[in-house]
Amino acid sequence: MSEPDSMDTPAPAGPVLALDTATSAVVVGIVDDGVTLAERVVHDHRRHAEVLTSLMQQVLAEAGVTGGELSAVVVGTGPGPFTGLRVGMATAAAYADALGLGAYGVCSLDAIAAAVDESGEVLVVTDARRREVYWARYRDGRRLAGPQVSAPDAVVIGEAVVVAGTPEFTDRYDLAVSAVTVPTAASLTAVADLGAQPGPLTPLYLRRPDAVLLKDQRRKSLLP
C-alpha cells in the first residue's frame, strides 16, 4: 500500500469505478465515499474479456451513475496471470482515458488483505498456476512481505494468524481461513491513493508470460 507523497491533492469527490481481473474472478463495482453502490463478481477465469464490459454497464445502471459522473477508476494490477490481468488493466486505462479520468493501480493482494476484517497478521495467497501461488503478508494494513511467487510450501508464513485468498490453497496452512477470496470494489478503492496524482498503470506479473517462456525454450532447443 502506497505512502502519500508531497504532491498529494484532495481526493476526487464522487463515485469511483473499481475493477479487478487478477484472480479467477472478475470484480467490478461502484463505490462512493466508502459505500458500495453496486458490485458484480463472476468466477470464471476463461471469460474475463467476455464479461468485463457488460458487468461495468450493469453496475453503472444499478448504481444510477453515468460515466460522466465518475471521479476516478481504480484497477487491480496483480500479481496475476498475464492474459486476465491485461484485460482488466487495458479496459480501465481505455475507459479512464475516454472520460478524462485518473486511473489508479493497486496491488490486488493489498485489496484482498484490506477486505479481511480480523486482527493480527494476515497472509494472502492466490493461484499463480503452474502449482505456484502469489503471496504477501500484512499487519494493520501494511504489507510486511511480498508480493512474491513461489511454491505453496515455500510461502513465508511469519506470524500470520489468518489466511485469505484462493480456497484451493488457503487450506494448506495451519491458520484460520478468512471468507475473503478475491478483492472487493470497496477494498480496491480503500487501498488506492486517490489523493495522489495518478501514474502509469504497471502490471505486477512477477514472472514472464508462458508465451515468452515457450519461445525461449524453442530457441534453446535450436542451439548447438
Side-chain angles (χ1 to χ4, degrees):
M1 304 180 188
S2 60
E3 295 291 335
D5 56 38
S6 59
M7 299 298 292
D8 282 358
T9 58
V16 174
L17 170 67
L19 59 98
D20 185 275
T21 57
T23 71
S24 61
V26 179
V27 179
V28 184
I30 304 295
V31 180
D32 191 2
D33 196 21
V35 177
T36 302
L37 304 182
E39 184 175 45
R40 294 285 188 279
V41 180
V42 174
H43 291 269
D44 189 343
H45 71 274
R46 296 167 297 183
R47 301 177 62 222
H48 283 91
E50 180 181 343
V51 303
L52 180 55
T53 303
S54 62
L55 293 180
M56 290 167 59
Q57 294 171 343
Q58 289 174 28
V59 296
L60 285 166
E62 181 179 328
V65 173
T66 65
E69 294 173 317
L70 293 172
S71 63
V73 177
V74 174
V75 61
T77 59
F82 184 78
T83 302
L85 192 54
R86 284 186 66 186
V87 168
M89 294 185 65
T91 301
Y95 197 72
D97 183 64
L99 294 174
L101 301 173
Y104 295 82
V106 300
C107 174
S108 302
L109 303 184
D110 289 0
I112 293 176
V116 177
D117 187 21
E118 297 185 47
S119 59
E121 205 164 293
V122 177
L123 173 68
V124 176
V125 293
T126 61
D127 187 4
R129 303 178 188 173
R130 303 184 204 161
R131 299 180 181 179
E132 292 182 321
V133 294
Y134 299 116
W135 67 273
R137 206 171 65 247
Y138 303 82
R139 178 183 291 276
D140 298 328
R142 183 171 62 90
R143 192 191 312 143
L144 303 176
Q148 296 185 35
V149 59
S150 68
D153 293 342
V155 170
V156 180
I157 297 174
E159 299 180 5
V161 295
V162 61
V163 58
T166 305
E168 291 83 352
F169 295 97
T170 53
D171 61 1
R172 292 176 178 236
Y173 306 99
D174 188 21
L175 301 171
V177 178
S178 170
V180 178
T181 60
V182 297
T184 66
S187 67
L188 287 162
T189 306
V191 299
D193 188 1
L194 297 177
Q197 291 294 328
L201 297 177
T202 304
L204 292 169
Y205 291 130
L206 299 190
R207 65 185 180 203
R208 292 183 297 172
D210 290 338
V212 174
L213 295 176
L214 181 59
K215 183 178 179 181
D216 286 349
Q217 291 169 3
R218 288 174 176 169
R219 183 184 297 115
K220 289 178 181 178
S221 70
L222 297 175
L223 295 176

